């Protein structure tokens, strides 16, 4: 392998790790608070891509505005999930998980009926061209994802450690009963968690929209990967999810470069199964599932 | 209702149901008959899935196990050219062995971790099918699986399975056999020890039930029948690929079991039956159908978590409550 | 070697030493009391000897075999069976079925027998025996009651009945009279006595209720803060200064 291939691989891995982190962090937040396991996290990602498709491609808004708007829009879908699915099934992880699969079906159908099922939506990138670093090339669109993730994750970290609502969310994730005794409303916290969860998935999908084929069924592979990451990272641990996202990003990119992407997925799910079986709390985890 | 009159009712109604299924080929069109065959296969699948759930272990890989049975059938029947009476038992045993390989590591996990880990192992197997063109055929799968054959033209015991009625009866026999065996297990002391694991794992262990071994055993028995369903499916549809055994199908299986319930033996039967009927009736909805089923899944999990099998008890409870309210108020 | 013996048993949870260097010997046919204030480590001790926890160090032997580190179900098969401090039962089954499930070790439950219909609760032998146990524990009227409809006292009694149905040689009861009224307590005390006298079962009894323990046990082991504080006859224990102080201290802190 030449130097340029290595650099290219590293760059690809960083980009992929960033996308993974954005998607997985959302999943981890939701799971951290009252164990909301969202089977349809991938459909939230898909919704983010469609926000860009509609606002940017169809309505001609600026791309970055569409990406930013994806946060509140998909966050509202997340909130709807919380109200209609996770709150009524609270205390039964499996029931919430299965019911959210039903919600995924519904989202897929709604999007498919509105904007077409079979057709892939190709979305023009607003940032044509790319950078050349030591013989490796990377498009601006991809390059954008890395700083975006850094900003989002830093923002999240600030929110969770400095802002009152964020601190309450963390307290609730650590010990719900104690949090309730301190006067924190559990319902507000699960709602907030799903807002954030949806928002992160939405922005992830929005940023990726010009790079990947946009279809109603595009979410599945991202959901699988997000679950792999979150489980490896320790289910409810946000730091764990970020670290695991980049580890997985590297593993996937390297295996995909050396072999193919099917093999890379196989390695990923096998890794996840092994972690679950040997250490059900995850590599960096503290929450027992 | 006394116990004996209940079992008489049961006997009578099962005889009526069996009579319908025996007469069916004369009552419905060829197209409907194929649907009915698939329905019978789904009954085997749902009932074997319910067996897993008796110990409290819900999996996300049951469709994959069915796929293992189907792939084994495809490979053995097409590439090795073996006759069905060797292919089918071998397919079931192969599926059971894969189940064992799944179950041993999975038995270390519980609840949600078990559910997700089973999904990971299942996805692994599905990607093996995708990756290896020999012998699995990659994304295209295996086509042209030979029809099942008994005897040859001219021999007195020759049965022509190009006639879909014959395959229907063939499937019916296996479905009834499966139901009888699983019903026996459900009513046995062994079945009760499995259910006891669901109710209280620690208590089960303390009275000497080897919980780990039991969970592995249930997984294997369940896998055996999933393999049978897969084998029948492969013969029925003649070509299989990894998309036949995906997450969407798995969610439908979960819908049957959630809608019917899994606590009693009848739950999954009610679930498959009612959902298959709704599935056919809503054919005009076309692409909207998955949304309807998603909605059904949510409604049941939220409003009737025990499934239809608990509906009579729910209604009785409600009537009772309004009754007493009226009495006191 | 004693029938049941514990040597230097220790269990740590992180920094917390829940059981520290506990040793004891129990003879066949004894009713041994294990007492101590809240959080003394009694349940932890049971969890260790019944295989729910793996000891940090130390050894437990039963009928000459080392059982520490063995799986709970193996230990139960050898004949050492425990009950739980919480009411533990199979709520979807009737009283008789609960007992019947607990009998599975002594029946021909196997997959093949299940399939050919040769394995069910209606086998004459085991059914007779299950009825005997239920009646013996004074629950004859409740044979067909669903377990979760029983009163608290009867639920605890059912717990003992199930343990008994496994035909144990050593029965470990974790606070069997907890939450019972005095009438129910008297019944339970009487029952434990009979279990030993009639079936020859050795009993290890964890209890808070002093009177119950004093009435029943030939010998008592006292735990405090995970350590063995004293051991002796009820009279010895009653007059033991350290024990009195431990209990007074505990009472002070509780009330
Ligand atoms: N699984 C565990 N993890 C951490 N600490 C534990 C665990 N089990 C018990 N402990 C601790 O060990 C100590 C002893 O607990 P244990 O339940 O054995 O007491 P006990 O004597 O049975 O009390 P009680 O009379 O209230 O039943 C307590 O401080 C308890 O908090
Ligand atoms: Mg205790």
């Amino acid at each position: 392998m030449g130097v340029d291939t290595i650099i290219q691989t590293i760059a690809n891995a960083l980009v992929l790790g960033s996308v993974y982190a954005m998607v997985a962090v959302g999943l981890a937040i939701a799971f951290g608070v009252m164990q909301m396991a969202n089977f349809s996290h991938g459909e939230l990602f898909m919704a983010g891509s469609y926000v860009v498709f509609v606002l940017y491609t169809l309505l001609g808004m600026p791309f970055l505005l569409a990406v930013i708007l994806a946060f509140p829009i998909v966050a509202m879908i997340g909130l709807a999930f919380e109200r209609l699915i996770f709150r009524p099934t609270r205390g039964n992880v499996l029931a919430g998980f299965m019911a959210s699969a039903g919600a995924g079906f519904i989202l897929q159908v709604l999007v498919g009926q509105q904007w077409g099922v079979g057709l892939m939506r190709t979305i023009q990138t607003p940032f044509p061209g790319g950078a050349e670093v030591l013989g490796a090339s990377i498009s601006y669109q991809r390059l954008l994802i890395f700083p975006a993730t850094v900003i989002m994750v830093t923002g999240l970290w600030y929110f969770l450690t400095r802002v009152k609502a964020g601190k309450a969310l963390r307290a609730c994730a650590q010990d719900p009963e104690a949090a309730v005794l301190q006067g924190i409303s559990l319902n507000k916290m699960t709602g907030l968690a799903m807002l954030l969860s949806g928002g992160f998935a939405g922005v992830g999908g929005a940023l990726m929209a010009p790079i990947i084929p946009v279809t109603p069924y595009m979410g599945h592979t991202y959901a699988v990967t997000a679950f792999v990451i979150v489980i490896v990272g320790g289910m409810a641990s946000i730091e764990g999810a970020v670290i695991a996202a980049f580890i997985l990003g590297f593993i996937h990119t390297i295996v995909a470069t050396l072999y193919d992407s099917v093999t890379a997925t196989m390695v990923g799910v096998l890794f996840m199964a092994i972690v679950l079986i040997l250490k059900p709390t995850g590599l960096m985890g503290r929450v027992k599932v | 209702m006394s116990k004996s009159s209940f079992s008489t009712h049961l006997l009578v109604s099962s005889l009526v149901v069996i009579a319908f299924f025996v007469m069916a080929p004369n009552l419905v069109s060829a197209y409907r008959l194929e649907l009915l065959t698939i329905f019978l296969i789904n009954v085997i699948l749902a009932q074997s899935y319910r067996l897993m759930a008796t110990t409290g272990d819900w999996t996300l890989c049951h469709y994959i196990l069915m796929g293992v049975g189907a792939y084994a059938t495809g490979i053995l029947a097409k590439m090795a050219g073996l006759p069905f009476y060797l292919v089918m038992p071998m397919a079931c045993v192969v599926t059971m062995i894969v189940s064992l390989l799944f179950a041993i590591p999975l038995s270390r996990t519980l609840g949600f971790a078990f559910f997700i880990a089973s999904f990971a192992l299942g996805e692994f197997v599905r990607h093996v099918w995708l990756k290896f063109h020999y012998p699995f055929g990659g994304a295209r799968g295996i086509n042209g699986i030979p029809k099942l054959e008994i005897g040859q033209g001219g021999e007195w015991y020759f049965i022509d399975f190009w006639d879909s009625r014959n395959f229907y009866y063939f499937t019916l026999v296996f479905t009834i056999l499966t139901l009888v065996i699983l019903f026996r297990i459900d009513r046995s002391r062994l079945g009760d020890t499995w259910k006891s694991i669901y109710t209280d794992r620690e208590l089960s262990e303390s009275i000497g039930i080897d919980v780990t071994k039991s969970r592995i055993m249930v997984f294997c028995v369940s896998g055996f029948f999933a393999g049978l369903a897969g084998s029948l499916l492969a013969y029925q549809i003649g070509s299989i690929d990894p998309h036949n055994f995906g997450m969407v199908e798995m969610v439908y299986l979960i819908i049957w079991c959630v809608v019917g319930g899994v606590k009693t033996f009848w739950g999954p039967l009610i679930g498959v039956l009612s959902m298959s009927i709704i599935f056919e009736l809503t054919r005009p909805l076309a692409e909207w159908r998955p949304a309807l089923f998603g909605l059904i899944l949510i409604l049941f999990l939220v409003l009737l978590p025990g499934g239809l099998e608990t509906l009579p008890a729910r209604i009785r409870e409600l009537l009772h409550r309004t009754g007493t309210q009226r009495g006191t108020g | 070697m004693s029938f049941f013996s514990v040597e230097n048993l220790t269990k740590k949870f992180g920094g917390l030493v829940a059981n520290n260097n506990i040793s004891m010997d129990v003879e066949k046919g004894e009713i041994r009391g294990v007492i101590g204030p809240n959080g003394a480590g009694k349940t932890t001790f049971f969890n260790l000897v019944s295989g729910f926890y793996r000891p940090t160090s130390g050894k437990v032997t039963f009928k000459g075999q080392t059982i520490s580190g063995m799986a709970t179900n193996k230990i139960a098969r050898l004949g050492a069976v425990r009950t739980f401090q919480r009411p533990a039962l199979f709520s979807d089954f009737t009283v008789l079925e609960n007992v019947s499930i607990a009998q599975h070790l002594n029946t021909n439950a196997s997959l093949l027998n299940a399939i050919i219909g040769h394995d069910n609760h209606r086998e004459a032998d085991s059914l007779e025996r299950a009825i005997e146990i239920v009646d013996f524990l004074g629950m004859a009227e409740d044979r067909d009651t669903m377990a979760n409809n029983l009163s608290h006292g009867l639920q605890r009694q059912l717990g003992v009945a199930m343990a008994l149905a496994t035909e144990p040689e050593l029965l470990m009861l974790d606070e069997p009279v907890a939450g019972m009224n005095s009438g129910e307590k008297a019944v339970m005390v009487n029952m434990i006595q009979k279990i030993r006298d009639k079936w020859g079962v050795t009993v290890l009894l964890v209890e808070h209720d002093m009177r119950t323990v004093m009435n029943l046990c030939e010998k008592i082991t006292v735990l405090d803060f995970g350590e063995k504080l004293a051991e002796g006859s009820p009279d010895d224990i009653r007059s033991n200064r350290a024990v009195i102080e431990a209990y007074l201290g505990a009472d002070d802190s509780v009330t």
Side-chain angles (χ1 to χ4, degrees), chain C residues 13 16 18 37-45 53 85 175 208:
Chain C
F13 294 110
L16 182 99
N38 279 106
K42 305 176 298 282
T43 299
T44 304
F45 177 72
Y53 293 160
Q85 193 169 344
E175 305 203 14
H208 263 307

Side-chain angles (χ1 to χ4, degrees), chain B residues 246-285:
Chain B
M247 198 38 66
V248 174
E249 284 72 20
M250 186 66 226
V251 174
Y252 273 99
L253 174 56
I254 289 178
I255 291 175
W256 301 333
C257 289
V258 165
V259 166
V262 292
K263 203 155 170 184
T264 69
F265 187 77
W266 312 110
L269 297 179
I270 298 169
V272 182
L273 185 64
S274 55
M275 287 302 102
S276 302
I277 291 172
I278 291 183
F279 196 82
E280 283 317 307
L281 292 181
T282 55
R283 219 166 251 286
L285 285 181

Side-chain angles (χ1 to χ4, degrees), chain C residues 11 14 29 79 85 92 97 109 130 146-148 161 187 194 202 224 233-234 247-248 254:
Chain C
K11 177 70 185 176
Q85 193 169 344
D92 299 336
E97 282 167 346
M146 292 303 277
N148 53 350
V187 173
K194 273 202 267 175
T202 309
D224 190 26
S233 70
Y247 266 85
L248 285 177
V254 166

Side-chain angles (χ1 to χ4, degrees), chain B residues 14-46:
Chain B
S14 12
L15 283 179
V16 171
V17 171
I18 290 176
F20 166 76
F21 278 103
V22 170
M23 297 301 293
N26 305 318
L27 303 176
V28 302
S29 66
Y31 165 71
R32 282 277 156 76
L33 195 63
E34 294 208 352
L35 290 182
L36 223 46
T37 310
I38 298 283
F39 169 80
L40 292 174
I41 295 172
N42 288 344
V43 165
I44 298 178
L45 191 68

Side-chain angles (χ1 to χ4, degrees), chain A residues 250-276:
Chain A
F250 269 90
I251 292 178
H252 192 99
T253 310
I254 291 167
V255 177
T257 311
L258 293 179
Y259 301 95
D260 55 86
S261 70
V262 172
T263 314
T265 309
M266 283 166 73
V267 171
V269 290
L270 201 60
F271 193 37
M272 160 169 161
I274 290 170
V275 168
L276 272 172

